[in-house]
Amino acid sequence: MNTVYFDPDFTDAVRRQQLYEGQLFVYSPRPSSIALCEFARGMIEQSFKGMDPRTAQDKMDVEEYAAILGQLKPNFIHHPNSKELLSKLLDEMGCDREKTYFDVPRMRSSTSDGYLTTGIAYAWHPHRDTWYSAPACQINYWIPIYEIKSDNAMAFHPQYWSQPVRNDSSGYNYAEWNNRYRYTAAQFTKEDPRPLPRATEPLKLDPQIRLISPPGGIILFSAAQMHSSVPNTSGLTRFSIDFRTVHLDDVAEFRGAPNVDAECTGTTMNDYHRASDLSHISEDLVSAYNTPPRGASK
Ligand SMILES: [Fe+2]
């Protein structure tokens, strides 16, 4: 990894190739991303009933706060407007809506000063999404909903792009994890017992890259990129949207970023919806990626 592209005039094919080589992209806010953020802001502000959502954490106890997020986040994820706005955004980003598939957009929050860092507002330790059964061709989009600063952003650790890290992803299988832990996040307000893959050796997190864009700006990175939540010391809760895409040609041809150290099993491939009609990727292709859990009979 050596380059951060800012508003480049690339085709989607060239951009995907660059992402698979570890480069990062930042795009200025555009009408569709601004619309998505405005929609998200409306839902957030309604949930916090007139309080400034960025400082609401200072005014309520953590269980009450987690309960609000526990309703707000799934409501945003599953709202039909979210998918529709996302599909428009992909179009505006030059993606072919017949061949680009996305998973539902997530709303994330990062509270300040360790107020809530588990469960529904998990503060992400450094990881690659490919440790969590994401395919090598997955591309991640990340969009701040409100202004962000360096001390409530996300961080990339590009020195690990081509350097393997010892990790415990071999114990992770996507389907098994979902069966056990899906819908449980809001209950974990003090500790988080979910076995999330992580590095099992110390990481050098500096130098790191934090990309700061205005609200509605779009950061793109490969699922194989090492990234983390910056410990939020800004005094303000950060709210952001992220989602993932795959391109059917890359799925069919098994293209993507090199895998240097992921050992998880299973696949997220059945989660993606085609931008044009929300259909899924064919069962044949999903099963081609769906490696069985270790020790399971084939
Ligand atoms: Fe991630």
Side-chain angles (χ1 to χ4, degrees):
M1 184 269 160
N2 55 33
T3 307
V4 179
Y5 288 102
F6 177 69
D7 279 343
D9 190 16
F10 287 167
T11 63
D12 180 50
V14 170
R15 181 172 59 211
R16 296 199 315 275
Q17 188 52 43
Q18 292 295 317
L19 285 160
Y20 301 155
E21 291 171 18
Q23 320 309 351
L24 301 169
F25 286 75
V26 191
Y27 288 88
S28 303
R30 51 206 54 221
S32 55
S33 64
I34 292 169
L36 185 61
C37 286
E38 275 171 5
F39 175 64
R41 260 199 302 268
M43 287 186 83
I44 295 169
E45 285 161 22
Q46 203 174 23
S47 298
F48 285 101
K49 298 188 173 66
M51 271 184 269
D52 183 336
R54 293 165 298 175
T55 53
Q57 65 168 90
D58 304 333
K59 299 178 187 83
M60 52 174 89
D61 69 51
V62 71
E63 274 80 17
E64 190 187 353
Y65 189 88
I68 289 177
L69 294 185
Q71 288 210 325
L72 166 64
K73 290 185 175 182
N75 284 348
F76 174 80
I77 288 172
H78 300 295
H79 199 293
N81 287 6
S82 300
K83 290 196 196 73
E84 205 181 306
L85 288 163
L86 200 158
S87 175
K88 281 194 183 134
L89 171 59
L90 292 174
D91 193 37
E92 214 175 350
M93 291 293 289
C95 302
D96 178 348
R97 293 171 71 252
E98 295 300 323
K99 289 194 166 181
T100 304
Y101 291 66
F102 62 81
D103 75 352
V104 287
R106 323 278 156 143
M107 181 189 286
R108 313 270 183 191
S109 54
S110 162
T111 62
S112 188
D113 301 292
Y115 171 76
L116 176 61
T117 57
T118 53
I120 197 76
Y122 191 77
W124 275 97
H125 54 268
H127 67 281
R128 311 182 199 272
D129 283 19
T130 48
W131 292 351
Y132 292 77
S133 312
C137 62
Q138 180 183 286
I139 291 166
N140 291 22
Y141 285 64
W142 193 93
I143 303 172
I145 300 173
Y146 295 91
E147 228 166 74
I148 51 168
K149 302 195 269 184
S150 180
D151 53 3
N152 68 2
M154 64 173 293
F156 295 99
H157 310 285
Q159 63 271 39
Y160 292 109
W161 175 256
S162 48
Q163 191 183 319
V165 169
R166 277 201 299 279
N167 66 84
D168 55 9
S169 63
S170 65
Y172 184 90
N173 175 271
Y174 185 65
E176 283 181 351
W177 202 93
N178 267 338
N179 286 341
R180 280 184 74 170
Y181 297 106
R182 189 174 260 184
Y183 312 123
T184 60
Q187 66 192 251
F188 304 130
T189 56
K190 294 195 172 65
E191 52 186 26
D192 204 321
R194 297 173 298 169
L196 295 159
R198 59 182 65 231
T200 53
E201 63 175 300
L203 295 182
K204 256 187 78 185
L205 297 182
D206 287 306
Q208 57 179 245
I209 294 178
R210 302 178 184 185
L211 299 170
I212 309 303
S213 81
I218 305 157
I219 294 169
L220 265 67
F221 59 100
S222 158
Q225 197 72 252
M226 188 76 76
H227 58 289
S228 62
S229 301
V230 169
N232 185 347
T233 54
S234 68
L236 296 173
T237 305
R238 179 253 287 162
F239 290 90
S240 56
I241 296 167
D242 57 71
F243 60 92
R244 294 130 185 68
T245 66
V246 295
H247 189 287
L248 188 60
D249 292 352
D250 296 346
V251 173
E253 287 163 41
F254 297 90
R255 282 195 291 254
N259 175 20
V260 294
D261 57 15
E263 294 185 276
C264 47
T265 56
T267 183
T268 58
M269 198 59 87
N270 198 44
D271 288 358
Y272 308 109
H273 302 269
R274 180 156 63 179
S276 60
D277 62 3
L278 302 184
S279 62
H280 284 276
I281 287 172
S282 72
E283 267 178 49
D284 287 3
L285 275 175
V286 172
S287 44
Y289 281 81
N290 195 15
T291 48
R294 272 156 227 282
S297 54
K298 296 191 182 177

